[in-house]
Amino acid sequence: MTVFTLSAAEREAALLPELAALTERHRRACEPYRRILDAIGSAAPYSRVADLPWLPVRLFKTHELRSVPEEQVFKVLTSSGTTGQVPSRIYLDRQAAATQPRMLAATLRAVLGERRLPMLIVDSRSVVRDPTLSARGAGVLGMMNLGRDHTFALDERGVLNHGAVKGFLARHGGKPYLIFAFTFMAWLHLRELGLDLSQGVLIHSGGWKKLAEQSVDTAEYRRRLGEECGLRHIHNFYGMVEQIGTVFLEGPDGGGLYCPDFADVVIRDPDTWQEAPPGVPGLIEVVSTLPTSYPGHVLLTEDLGVVHGVDDGIWPGKRFSVLGRLPRAEARGCSDTHGLAAA
């Protein structure tokens, strides 16, 4: 199964009725959401995906937004953040909790293939042992479902374990294997190894704040890791706990992020809130059909982005980039927070 098949027009036609139905479902089941829609005067029918009512992602920090009875809540996810920040709380029932890893796996199979690959994790095992599992730990655990023979590249102190990495490469270095890391940690530690990682497929995610301060953009990131580590297969992805299971994946050529068939992005002009045309930066709105247990199907993020093109890339649909955080927006955690702590 591949989830990068729909053109922009096909995606619009497929998503609009599903998202409109989800809007009405959440309106009926989540009273705070209904009050918000009533206050803004939003009502069906909707002519385009861009016409659907959006929620600011920050609302999940301040409101209990769920569309299932409390007794049906199977899991509550919280976002990471720096000390003193209020985390988002995302309520999943059993169906939503089962769908999330399945669709994440379907998305990443586009670059990993059907078989589970040996997995090198550029983190320490302690990140998944913490009983108050952070978004960083949850991200590692979620990705571990896609790999086998999991090897952590850092010791419990967060120091590079050269012996563990060399042992992993002795076992698996001659064939494709998966490397997972948060963006800044991959940059910091993989280059330190000084080893040939040419058979690796690097999947990375997280903030670029610390790298932007070093004038490292996506192209430079890929170039340096290619030159210094031999990495030829590098894929960034963009996602968030508030829309768990949906990730926007960088194509093989590094030309931008792409939307899986069950999701899309809308770039909004921050002055008019209208959809911005390709080439014009604005706030990123993410839409997905996966959030069924809470009204997270149409979310306005605090990230800036731009659509580079439509149906003109290696995969169909919108091809876009994340440009950074909205000024004065709080750090999201994960590698952003790691980078701040390391500064």
Side-chain angles (χ1 to χ4, degrees):
M1 180 176 99
T2 178
V3 295
F4 293 98
T5 66
L6 297 180
S7 69
E10 292 167 336
R11 187 184 309 267
E12 177 83 12
L15 290 183
L16 180 58
E18 286 196 57
L19 293 169
L22 271 177
T23 298
E24 297 312 306
R25 169 179 172 167
H26 292 311
R27 186 199 297 268
R28 293 191 301 269
C30 180
E31 184 177 351
Y33 183 67
R34 177 185 59 77
R35 291 200 302 266
I36 291 170
L37 296 193
D38 288 348
I40 64 177
S42 176
Y46 305 102
S47 300
R48 303 180 305 141
V49 167
D51 294 336
L52 291 159
W54 44 262
L55 290 184
V57 71
R58 191 176 286 253
L59 276 185
F60 289 90
K61 298 178 182 293
T62 57
H63 293 70
E64 182 176 319
L65 297 169
R66 56 178 170 84
S67 301
V68 293
E70 189 170 2
E71 62 270 17
Q72 291 183 19
V73 173
F74 173 67
K75 184 182 296 185
V76 181
L77 301 177
T78 58
S79 62
S80 64
T82 57
T83 302
Q85 292 178 5
V86 178
S88 296
R89 294 177 64 83
I90 306 302
Y91 298 87
L92 303 179
D93 60 7
R94 286 186 178 274
Q95 179 182 352
T99 300
Q100 175 264 324
R102 181 168 57 85
M103 299 314 293
L104 174 63
T107 302
L108 294 178
R109 280 194 200 106
V111 295
L112 295 177
E114 294 294 326
R115 300 179 62 184
R116 288 190 178 188
L117 299 177
M119 184 174 182
L120 180 66
I121 303 162
V122 187
D123 215 318
S124 62
R125 190 176 292 276
S126 61
V127 77
V128 299
R129 287 177 175 160
D130 186 347
T132 61
L133 192 64
S134 66
R136 177 170 148 196
V140 171
L141 276 178
M143 287 295 299
M144 285 175 70
N145 291 325
L146 306 179
R148 60 181 175 85
D149 192 16
H150 308 104
T151 299
F152 288 83
L154 309 185
D155 64 19
E156 298 297 312
R157 299 168 298 150
V159 176
L160 196 60
N161 185 338
H162 288 264
V165 177
K166 288 179 179 177
F168 176 88
L169 292 176
R171 297 191 302 274
H172 304 297
K175 295 181 179 180
Y177 55 89
L178 167 61
I179 306 172
F180 175 68
F182 289 98
T183 300
F184 179 72
M185 295 178 72
W187 177 259
L188 185 67
H189 295 296
L190 293 182
R191 295 160 57 240
E192 181 187 346
L193 279 170
L195 298 173
D196 177 16
L197 304 177
S198 56
Q199 292 297 317
V201 181
L202 172 61
I203 304 291
H204 68 98
S205 184
W208 287 77
K209 177 182 173 64
K210 199 67 181 169
L211 290 170
E213 293 172 358
Q214 300 175 21
S215 300
V216 176
D217 59 11
T218 301
E220 178 69 0
Y221 189 90
R222 294 171 67 91
R223 185 185 70 80
R224 290 280 296 276
L225 286 177
E227 289 181 355
E228 298 180 33
C229 307
L231 279 166
R232 296 169 294 161
H233 305 288
I234 300 175
H235 302 274
N236 182 25
F237 73 82
Y238 173 65
M240 62 200 68
V241 71
E242 292 87 358
Q243 214 170 75
I244 191 74
T246 303
V247 297
F248 302 89
L249 185 63
E250 185 177 34
D253 62 353
L257 298 163
Y258 292 84
C259 310
D261 290 346
F262 53 87
D264 206 353
V265 295
V266 176
I267 305 298
R268 292 200 178 273
D269 184 309
D271 294 321
T272 67
W273 301 116
Q274 297 302 306
E275 183 175 11
V280 177
L283 280 174
I284 300 173
E285 175 188 303
V286 289
V287 305
S288 170
T289 60
L290 297 193
T292 54
S293 58
Y294 65 99
H297 57 307
V298 186
L299 298 179
L300 188 70
T301 75
E302 295 173 343
D303 297 317
L304 296 169
V306 62
V307 171
H308 299 296
V310 180
D311 296 333
D312 68 343
I314 197 164
W315 293 327
K318 293 174 183 171
R319 180 173 56 85
F320 74 102
S321 291
V322 180
L323 302 178
R325 301 286 288 154
L326 186 69
R328 295 186 300 279
E330 61 186 349
R332 298 282 296 182
C334 297
S335 65
D336 264 346
T337 305
H338 177 88
L340 291 170

